[in-house]
Amino acid sequence: MRKQAQVVVIGGGVVGASVLYHLTLAGWTDVMMVERRELTHGSTWHSAGGMHTLNGDPNVAALQRYTVELYEKIQAESGRDCGIHMTSGLQLADTPERMDYLRMAHARGRYLGMETELISAKEAHEMVPFLDPDHFVGAMWDRHEGHVDPSGVTHAYAECARQRGAEINRYTWVHDITRAADGTWDLHVHDTRGGRDHDTDRDLGVVNCEHFVNAGGLWAREVGRMTGIEIPVLAMEHMYLITEEVPQLAEWRAQSSMPGFHVVDLGGEIYMREEGNSLLLGTYERGGVPWAPHTTDWNFGAQLLTPDLERIGDNLEVGFRHFPIFQEIGIKDTINGPFTFAPDGNPLIGPVKGQPGHWLACGVMAGLSQGGGVGLSMANWMTEGDPGFDVWGMDNARFGDWATPRYTNAKVRENYGRRFRITFPNEQLPDARNHIVSPIHGRLSDLNAVWGASYGLEVPMWFQRDGEAPVEDVTFRRSNAFDIVAEEVAAVRHDVGMFETTGYAKYEVTGSGARAWLDHLLTNAIPSPGRLALSPMLNRRGRIIGDFTVGALVDGVGTERFMIFGSGPAQKYHERWFRQEAPADGSVQLRVCGNELTGLSIAGPNARAVLDVLIDFDVSNDAFGFLDFRDTYVGSVPALVGRVTFTGDLGYEIWCAAGYLPQLFDSLMEAGADHGIRMFGGRALDSMRFDKGWGSWATEYRPIYDPYEANMGWMVKLDKGDFVGRDAAAAAKEAGPARKLVLFSMDAGSGADAADCIGNEPVWHEGPNGNEVVGWITSGGFAHHSGLSMAMGYVPIEHAASDGPWGIEVVGVMRQATRLDAPPFDPSGSRMRS
């Protein structure tokens, strides 16, 4: 065994093997894997082996398709049989709402290039006669589905990696990880061939490496704890059944042109497929049971858990009713094995904040669907500094330290029980709520706030009328919030509204090198003291990885400090980048303010009058202009006040220490009483940004777009000197964008049929080749002040100035759309500047 390597992958399941393979494919051959037992001896070996491309996140779906299409390649290259059965698949809908979900998935597949088709329940029955069509309203057929042999796939990855120079060490247990003096990592390993008792293991010494990948699967938490971090993953028991041989399968194969079948019953929360001459039936029951919730026994290996058919009895009853053939045949085996989930069900991948060289590739519950994409992204990230894809939905940075073990336990159990259930775009899931609350949570509850959760914090989405339950109806269309959100928007546009900004990310930057560092990090000019500036942040490929408001302040002796405000859910993501790029000489100090710095924003034509009551200096436009920034007092509260809001209206953001927030809230409400002040929530804020055609982080601004595509080029100062991504941005500007972010209004229908865009809808354009999908919507909603259903999305540059005809496919219905040259509300920006 090598004593030194560039990369060590810890864990020999399908994910670890994929990472190892893709590293060698990228040209890194000084790599090795250490596996405590045999390859697959975690959760891989007992997996049902299903693979599919359907995923709510289209970026994850694209990587799943890559995974599925990779198997033929590694099978041929390795000579190992992967047991590939490309059967295609059926997703069954038993209600109109679930059929809407499939229509949306089918539409999303259009711009992803996936081969899907919506069919009737009768047609689904003709394909797979073992289902009862009376229980369903329709289905979607997906060409890229099937199943593989988990062991064969894992060994194929491993053999391909070995052929390129990777070393694989079985029965090698990493029992401790320490940091070497030069910043590399020392992995302390034992030989486990002696048996199950690790007290008798032989010490193999230390393996030193520049990078290590935690692909520990069931033991990912334990590996993480060796470096002092708590990874938010939890294993769940999962059961599936295998029947006795089914004689009817031979008859079906003789008559059918299909190579097999794989069926997901969304309402029944079950899946079913062939397994040789038998059938396999699996379920994700709502009362799922965590396995090893606190610590995973290192002696656990290729073992199964005791089945508990009573726990899945309700699901089996549905399954036997929906697939009557199960009433005719016996059950041969019941498999119950553990596998891991993250709180939202997506993988946890990427670099660990503050620990250079430490990488995660864990929580991959759908390893046979996602393992290839995870391995490819990880290899790109490690060898090139960028995953090469938009992996925000899998990046471990989407969870902060607030994702505690008990939070993780609650959310994983919730997610497990919802594996095949619809999560509506306006739905807020109930478990592990009130995890973090702001100091004015009670006051906002008294105002009948309808709460959501963002990065662990409770945030008001809208405010229900007095006397009515603060609950939103979940739907793909317009909910009971629609009219009330319109009232909140009207309060801002005509009087004054107030919004809590505590959920924004906040960072303080100080030190002698702070200004120079920010100038190197951000694309726009750094503001002078007393001013704010808007600025993107780019990676070295010139792609957007941040969208910030930057404020500069100076104290009485001329020392500068800077405040950076950004997207709350991206706090850890951006902190990781800031710390990675920080100078090593200590000239810059970064403080993540988190929820210790809280805030309120007031906006609307009466906002200045409200602030004037509480501020001791002149707040007229001439004295306190747009993008001015002050360290002052608001009433009795020490506060930072910036003249900027995300509403597009006259407004101010006010920041204070958490202990002062109740007082600030009360003062603003009292001062605003005579000016029509009203609280508004996140839905109204979104409505107003659509009025202005403004994009936001994780929708319009993501690491797959450059600033010229995203209409942010005016904030990229190529002539200011060097900054991260400058050369790539200059090249992108010179070449010109291949696609462009455009703004649409849309005929959303009326009454119960009305439906606005939510994101990921295909954009159609009539051209020489007829009506075809040319782009996709990034976000959309109703702009109440303008009275328009709005959407933003990316289209090829050759269509970006076209008047169409345009169409957007919303919940399966083609809607006529109009491209707008300017936002419908105040296109000159005079309201926010006056």
Side-chain angles (χ1 to χ4, degrees):
M1 182 178 69
R2 303 176 190 173
K3 293 299 183 181
Q4 192 163 9
Q6 187 175 12
V7 186
V8 177
V9 177
I10 302 174
V14 67
V15 173
S18 173
V19 172
L20 192 73
Y21 161 74
H22 282 94
L23 283 170
T24 63
L25 200 64
W28 280 18
T29 57
D30 183 16
V31 295
M32 63 186 293
M33 172 190 285
V34 290
E35 161 55 42
R36 189 182 51 88
R37 297 291 188 191
E38 290 281 1
L39 300 188
T40 79
H41 274 201
S43 54
T44 299
W45 74 275
H46 60 72
S47 167
M51 53 180 181
H52 55 88
T53 56
L54 184 65
N55 190 285
D57 184 329
N59 301 289
V60 176
L63 288 172
Q64 289 183 185
R65 178 171 179 177
Y66 166 80
T67 301
V68 171
E69 294 177 345
L70 180 63
Y71 291 138
E72 292 281 1
K73 177 181 177 181
I74 63 171
Q75 178 174 266
E77 184 177 330
S78 67
R80 300 295 295 258
D81 184 5
C82 292
I84 303 168
H85 296 83
M86 290 301 300
T87 62
S88 73
L90 290 175
Q91 307 273 337
L92 301 172
D94 62 334
T95 65
E97 291 77 15
R98 291 192 176 95
M99 198 62 215
D100 280 345
Y101 171 77
L102 293 181
R103 291 188 182 98
M104 295 169 70
H106 174 62
R108 191 164 61 239
R110 294 188 195 277
Y111 70 79
L112 292 173
M114 295 181 177
E115 299 176 66
T116 62
E117 182 180 349
L118 297 174
I119 62 176
S120 67
K122 179 176 180 292
E123 290 172 312
H125 178 252
E126 290 170 355
M127 287 182 171
V128 183
F130 308 120
L131 63 89
D132 183 348
D134 291 342
H135 293 291
F136 305 102
V137 299
M140 183 179 77
W141 175 82
D142 186 347
R143 169 69 182 83
H144 296 274
E145 287 197 18
H147 60 275
V148 289
D149 170 24
S151 179
V153 167
T154 304
H155 283 88
Y157 278 135
E159 181 58 31
C160 290
R162 187 184 289 110
Q163 290 174 7
R164 290 189 173 87
E167 179 180 297
I168 297 174
N169 297 285
R170 298 170 301 136
Y171 293 95
T172 306
W173 173 42
V174 176
H175 66 88
D176 195 16
I177 300 172
T178 56
R179 201 70 181 266
D182 63 355
T184 59
W185 296 93
D186 287 335
L187 310 185
H188 302 258
V189 295
H190 279 180
D191 185 333
T192 62
R193 294 179 189 275
R196 293 173 55 87
D197 184 356
H198 285 305
D199 290 338
T200 64
D201 292 345
R202 182 168 59 91
D203 188 353
L204 295 177
V206 172
V207 177
N208 177 261
C209 57
E210 181 182 350
H211 304 271
F212 76 91
V213 180
N214 179 353
L218 297 175
W219 295 269
R221 290 174 309 180
E222 281 65 31
V223 175
R225 288 167 184 164
M226 294 176 193
T227 70
I229 65 171
E230 187 68 33
I231 301 172
V233 291
L234 178 70
M236 297 291 291
E237 295 188 16
H238 178 66
M239 283 180 276
Y240 60 88
L241 314 177
I242 299 176
T243 69
E244 303 285 354
E245 289 196 2
V246 181
Q248 295 92 326
L249 277 174
E251 180 182 349
W252 176 83
R253 288 168 179 153
Q255 298 176 351
S256 176
S257 61
M258 295 177 62
F261 56 84
H262 185 276
V263 180
V264 171
D265 176 357
L266 296 174
E269 299 174 336
I270 49 182
Y271 58 91
M272 187 268 287
R273 66 165 175 82
E274 300 168 275
E275 177 65 19
N277 292 318
S278 303
L279 293 175
L280 182 151
L281 178 73
T283 181
Y284 290 86
E285 71 278 12
R286 298 193 184 185
V289 173
W291 177 79
H294 306 296
T295 304
T296 305
D297 184 356
W298 286 109
N299 289 315
F300 188 82
Q303 299 159 245
L304 292 174
L305 310 176
T306 303
D308 183 2
L309 293 179
E310 184 175 344
R311 192 171 77 233
I312 62 173
D314 291 345
N315 298 71
L316 293 181
E317 183 179 339
V318 173
F320 284 24
R321 190 166 61 248
H322 288 189
F323 303 96
I325 192 168
F326 285 95
Q327 301 174 24
E328 305 173 20
I329 51 180
I331 303 302
K332 180 175 64 176
D333 291 311
T334 301
I335 308 300
N336 185 16
F339 65 110
T340 56
F341 277 81
D344 61 1
N346 275 341
L348 294 168
I349 73 171
V352 173
K353 181 199 74 175
Q355 297 188 1
H358 181 178
W359 301 78
L360 300 185
C362 50
V364 190
M365 55 78 53
L368 278 307
S369 293
Q370 298 174 339
V374 166
L376 176 63
S377 301
M378 289 286 291
N380 288 342
W381 216 335
M382 296 173 75
T383 62
E384 299 179 12
D386 187 275
F389 304 92
D390 189 341
V391 296
W392 171 249
M394 299 191 292
D395 193 325
N396 73 89
R398 69 190 186 276
F399 294 108
D401 294 340
W402 48 267
T404 61
R406 290 200 178 193
Y407 172 92
T408 298
N409 187 297
K411 295 305 287 185
V412 166
R413 285 187 287 115
E414 178 183 60
N415 184 280
Y416 181 89
R418 298 180 61 92
R419 179 79 174 100
F420 292 140
R421 292 172 67 186
I422 297 171
T423 298
F424 290 90
N426 66 329
E427 186 173 8
Q428 295 289 324
L429 302 184
D431 288 0
R433 295 299 297 275
N434 291 321
H435 187 57
I436 310 172
V437 298
S438 85
I440 59 170
H441 182 269
R443 284 168 168 78
L444 300 186
S445 288
D446 289 344
L447 292 174
N448 225 12
V450 179
W451 293 100
S454 176
Y455 203 63
L457 175 71
E458 292 294 303
V459 294
M461 306 305 296
W462 54 285
F463 292 83
Q464 178 62 282
R465 295 189 176 97
D466 289 344
E468 297 188 33
V471 176
E472 182 167 2
D473 302 332
V474 296
T475 177
F476 289 123
R477 294 174 172 81
R478 293 175 179 170
S479 76
N480 58 320
F482 187 81
D483 292 338
I484 299 174
V485 171
E487 295 172 7
E488 293 178 9
V489 170
V492 176
R493 294 292 187 236
H494 299 297
D495 296 304
V496 59
M498 186 158 69
F499 174 78
E500 185 181 13
T501 56
T502 299
Y504 290 9
K506 292 88 58 180
Y507 317 87
E508 181 185 64
V509 181
T510 56
S512 61
R515 176 173 286 275
W517 178 65
L518 288 174
D519 200 43
H520 180 67
L521 207 62
L522 303 177
T523 68
N524 205 349
I526 305 304
S528 58
R531 293 287 290 166
L532 297 163
L534 309 178
S535 181
M537 182 167 68
L538 307 180
N539 62 19
R540 285 175 175 76
R541 297 172 65 229
R543 303 301 176 90
I544 302 166
I545 59 170
D547 172 36
F548 300 107
T549 302
V550 184
L553 297 165
V554 64
D555 64 17
V557 295
T559 302
E560 284 190 313
R561 67 181 172 116
F562 299 88
M563 298 300 303
I564 304 175
F565 304 98
S567 170
Q571 176 182 295
K572 188 175 178 182
Y573 174 83
H574 288 137
E575 181 191 358
R576 184 177 67 195
W577 180 259
F578 292 153
R579 297 200 185 282
Q580 174 186 316
E581 298 297 318
D585 61 7
S587 62
V588 173
Q589 290 82 51
L590 172 73
R591 183 172 74 92
V592 179
C593 303
N595 296 323
E596 297 174 6
L597 184 64
T598 57
L600 292 165
S601 175
I602 55 173
N606 292 342
R608 180 179 286 117
V610 174
L611 192 64
D612 189 44
V613 176
L614 299 169
I615 291 281
D616 292 335
F617 61 81
D618 184 0
V619 295
S620 68
N621 194 46
D622 289 338
F624 193 49
F626 180 60
L627 295 182
D628 275 354
F629 191 43
R630 296 275 187 97
D631 188 351
T632 184
Y633 298 93
V634 178
S636 299
V637 174
L640 303 175
V641 182
R643 191 170 151 195
V644 66
T645 77
F646 200 42
T647 65
D649 227 310
L650 167 67
Y652 309 86
E653 290 180 356
I654 308 168
W655 304 96
C656 66
Y660 286 109
L661 190 64
Q663 182 184 166
L664 178 64
F665 174 85
D666 293 344
S667 297
L668 288 167
M669 290 296 283
E670 182 180 352
D674 294 335
H675 299 285
I677 196 166
R678 175 172 177 162
M679 290 298 303
F680 66 95
R683 297 279 162 72
L685 189 66
D686 257 345
S687 176
M688 288 183 278
R689 83 171 174 92
F690 290 127
D691 260 336
K692 291 290 293 179
W694 283 347
S696 67
W697 172 254
T699 53
E700 287 70 43
Y701 310 143
R702 300 183 73 141
I704 54 174
Y705 308 124
D706 73 46
Y708 303 100
E709 294 172 328
N711 302 322
M712 301 176 83
W714 64 276
M715 291 183 284
V716 180
K717 307 301 185 186
L718 296 174
D719 59 352
K720 75 167 187 168
D722 190 32
F723 57 85
V724 176
R726 183 203 174 280
D727 291 347
K733 182 179 182 180
E734 176 70 21
R739 57 192 172 189
K740 197 78 170 174
L741 179 64
V742 296
L743 180 65
F744 296 100
S745 65
M746 183 186 72
D747 177 6
S750 60
D753 180 57
D756 304 297
C757 289
I758 60 173
N760 298 320
E761 294 88 354
V763 176
W764 295 74
H765 182 265
E766 183 71 36
N769 299 321
N771 203 23
E772 59 182 347
V773 173
V774 297
W776 61 93
I777 295 300
T778 48
S779 66
F782 196 79
H784 287 278
H785 180 75
S786 304
L788 296 172
S789 184
M790 303 288 291
M792 286 180 276
Y794 284 88
V795 302
I797 193 65
E798 60 266 26
H799 299 312
S802 169
D803 291 329
W806 293 95
I808 303 175
E809 190 174 352
V810 183
V811 197
V813 177
M814 185 69 75
R815 309 282 187 172
Q816 182 178 349
T818 301
R819 187 191 59 80
L820 302 180
D821 288 316
F825 175 73
D826 189 28
S828 69
S830 61
R831 290 271 292 245
M832 62 186 179
R833 290 181 170 86
S834 61

